[in-house]
Amino acid sequence: MLKRISFVLCLIGSFSMAATKAVTFTFPKDGAQVPTTFKAKFKETGMQITPAGKDVDDKTKGHFHLIVDAPAAAEGEVIPADGTHLHFGKGQTESGDITLTPGKHTLTLQFADGLHRAYGPDLTKTITVTVK
């Protein structure tokens, strides 16, 4: 009986873990004050980080994009590569130096597949920072 209960609890735990998918900033936090140049750090839950171009049809894998002062890409839309949309296609979980002008800015973290197609709102997080 104890083995059966343990098995059921294990199944319940794996279903609830699989259902939780999210991205978040570990630095900076929403509402933070940051210097003009800083590095952002991010993490994912319920997904696996892989480089761009790999496992392109596996909806459990992907990589990060950081969008500065612009809206997130719609689900399925390819995230452009330009000065506003920063790609971390090697599987990085930390940006290089980001330099912003003083004032308020939005940072949007978005997870996308190996072809840079956005996974949508569940794997998108927007925060606001103030640059000193």
Side-chain angles (χ1 to χ4, degrees), residues 65-75 77-80 84-85 106-111 118 120-121 123-126:
H65 298 81
L66 180 62
I67 304 166
V68 180
D69 293 331
E75 186 170 349
E77 183 180 332
V78 173
I79 300 171
T84 300
H85 300 81
T106 60
L107 303 177
T108 298
L109 185 62
Q110 193 159 31
F111 209 69
L123 291 167
T124 301
K125 175 71 174 177
T126 299

Side-chain angles (χ1 to χ4, degrees), residues 52-127:
K54 292 201 171 219
D55 303 313
V56 297
D57 293 319
D58 187 337
K59 297 301 179 194
T60 66
K61 298 178 180 179
H63 61 279
F64 291 106
H65 298 81
L66 180 62
I67 304 166
V68 180
D69 293 331
E75 186 170 349
E77 183 180 332
V78 173
I79 300 171
D82 56 31
T84 300
H85 300 81
L86 310 177
H87 288 246
F88 300 97
K90 294 179 183 174
Q92 307 95 304
T93 57
E94 181 175 319
S95 72
D97 287 344
I98 297 171
T99 302
L100 299 174
T101 58
K104 285 195 178 216
H105 295 275
T106 60
L107 303 177
T108 298
L109 185 62
Q110 193 159 31
F111 209 69
D113 68 15
L115 295 177
H116 308 284
R117 296 174 295 205
Y119 279 123
D122 288 345
L123 291 167
T124 301
K125 175 71 174 177
T126 299
I127 64 171

Side-chain angles (χ1 to χ4, degrees), residues 3-66:
K3 284 184 181 180
R4 185 176 297 172
I5 292 171
S6 295
F7 176 72
V8 170
L9 289 175
C10 182
L11 280 177
I12 291 170
S14 18
F15 283 122
S16 65
M17 284 174 48
T20 304
K21 295 179 182 178
V23 294
T24 189
F25 288 90
T26 58
F27 182 85
K29 297 293 185 186
D30 190 29
Q33 291 187 356
V34 296
T36 56
T37 300
F38 64 96
K39 293 181 195 278
K41 297 180 183 181
F42 11 89
K43 71 175 188 172
E44 47 60 51
T45 303
M47 298 294 280
Q48 184 179 349
I49 298 171
T50 56
K54 292 201 171 219
D55 303 313
V56 297
D57 293 319
D58 187 337
K59 297 301 179 194
T60 66
K61 298 178 180 179
H63 61 279
F64 291 106
H65 298 81
L66 180 62

